[in-house]
């Protein structure tokens, strides 16, 4: 069945647990280029280089009935009093749900967390992360 | 094995010099003696950026096949790709001045640098 996707189809899972109060996520995949233009060519030529995968998410700062901060494990990667982790510690999965789920999954390093509190508004947090290693699931294009 | 027939991504040509000696006479005048009419020791630096592993290995194989800088060899036309009028150097025999450098960029991709000098027989 033909289908457009909207925000209701999107979700983000951290280590297998869905972030409950998410308002936005983005995922970016990039490949650098290595130039192979040689003398005598009149147009630049390239081959693919190294891939980079990164993402951001914006969530409401939300505490569950069990007194657990939604997505708190990501916050604690950078908001902490001890040294940062020595390796990627979390698995991120972006999903667009449908008859067939479209997903990307990777191990990530959290690069920034920004918590915003304003008068008359909900407290939100913005999280940025970058993948370490190759994607472990990549079905967004299939 | 022949020298790899690849277009370089950068080429630096250094013209050779003319063999000569100079003397200062008792009067202070300088006298120069020219030993030939042909410049020798032309230098050629070639760079190959982001080439495949197979091509990179070709340079290593060729260097071994000519026993380093012991034997001379000819260069293919690809070396002077992009030139409409080739340099005048009076020979097409060359030898390595130093081993080629083969730098790994990423898996399967390499940068190679080659330094050659013209050889006259």
């Amino acid at each position: 069945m033909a289908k457009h996707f909207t925000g209701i189809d999107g979700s983000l899972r951290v280590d297998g647990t869905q972030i409950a109060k998410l308002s936005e996520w983005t995922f970016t995949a990039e490949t650098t280029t290595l130039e192979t233009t040689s003398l005598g060519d009149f147009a630049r030529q390239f081959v693919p280089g190294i891939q980079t995968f990164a993402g951001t998410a914006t969530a409401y700062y939300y505490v569950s009935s069990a007194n657990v901060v939604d997505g708190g494990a990501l916050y604690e990667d950078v908001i902490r009093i001890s040294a940062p982790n020595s390796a990627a510690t979390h698995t991120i999965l972006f999903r667009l749900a449908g008859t067939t789920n479209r997903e990307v999954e990777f191990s990530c390093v959290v690069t920034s967390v920004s918590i915003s509190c304003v008068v008359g508004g909900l407290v939100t947090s913005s999280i940025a992360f970058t993948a370490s290693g190759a994607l472990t699931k990549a079905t967004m294009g299939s | 094995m022949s020298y790899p027939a690849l277009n370089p991504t950068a080429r630096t040509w250094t013209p050779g010099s003319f063999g000569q000696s100079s003397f200062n006479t008792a009067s202070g005048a300088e006298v120069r003696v020219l030993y030939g009419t042909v410049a020798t020791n032309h230098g050629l630096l070639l760079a190959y950026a982001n080439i495949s592993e197979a091509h990179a290995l070709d340079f290593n194989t060729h260097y071994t096949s000519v026993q380093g800088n012991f034997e001379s060899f000819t260069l293919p036309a690809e070396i002077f790709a992009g030139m409409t009028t080739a340099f005048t150097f009076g020979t097409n025999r060359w030898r390595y001045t130093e081993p080629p450098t083969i730098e790994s960029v990423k898996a399967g991709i390499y940068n190679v640098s080659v330094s050659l000098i013209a050889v006259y027989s």
Side-chain angles (χ1 to χ4, degrees), chain B residues 45-110:
Chain B
L45 295 176
L46 301 169
Y48 301 85
N50 301 320
I51 62 174
S52 69
E53 183 169 300
H55 284 137
L57 291 175
D58 283 345
F59 286 96
N60 193 60
T61 303
H62 180 259
Y63 180 75
T64 303
S65 72
V66 296
Q67 296 169 288
N69 58 4
F70 183 71
E71 294 179 15
S72 65
F73 51 88
T74 59
L75 290 179
E78 283 81 355
I79 299 306
F80 298 101
M83 295 187 71
T84 51
T85 305
F87 297 112
T88 302
F89 40 79
T91 181
N92 191 27
R93 302 297 301 182
W94 301 83
R95 64 179 165 78
Y96 290 96
T97 59
E98 58 188 51
T101 59
I102 301 174
E103 174 194 16
S104 297
V105 176
K106 57 167 273 193
I109 300 290
Y110 296 82

Side-chain angles (χ1 to χ4, degrees), chain A residues 17-66:
Chain A
T17 302
Q18 184 169 333
I19 301 293
K21 302 297 181 184
L22 193 72
S23 64
E24 179 182 336
W25 61 252
T26 62
F27 170 72
T28 306
E30 294 179 322
T31 301
T32 59
T33 55
L34 299 172
E35 185 166 358
T36 58
T37 311
S38 60
L39 297 172
D41 290 339
F42 59 86
R44 293 192 181 279
Q45 299 186 52
F46 299 90
V47 294
I50 302 293
Q51 290 181 298
T52 301
F53 307 103
T56 63
T58 302
Y60 297 105
Y61 191 85
Y62 177 76
V63 178
S64 70
S65 58

Side-chain angles (χ1 to χ4, degrees), chain A residues 7 9-27 55-59 70-71 74 91-97 104-106 108 127-129:
Chain A
D9 301 312
S11 63
L12 168 61
R13 290 168 188 268
V14 179
D15 302 326
T17 302
Q18 184 169 333
I19 301 293
K21 302 297 181 184
L22 193 72
S23 64
E24 179 182 336
W25 61 252
T26 62
F27 170 72
T56 63
T58 302
D70 195 26
L74 295 177
T91 300
I92 295 289
L93 184 142
F94 291 109
R95 173 178 291 170
L96 292 175
V104 288
E105 183 184 67
F106 52 85
C108 81
I127 308 163
F129 28 77

Side-chain angles (χ1 to χ4, degrees), chain A residues 4 23 36-37 41 58 62 75 89 99-100 107 109-110 117 121 128 132-133:
Chain A
H4 284 289
S23 64
T36 58
T37 311
D41 290 339
T58 302
Y62 177 76
Y75 302 163
T89 51
T99 308
T100 302
S107 293
V109 173
V110 179
C117 178
S132 176

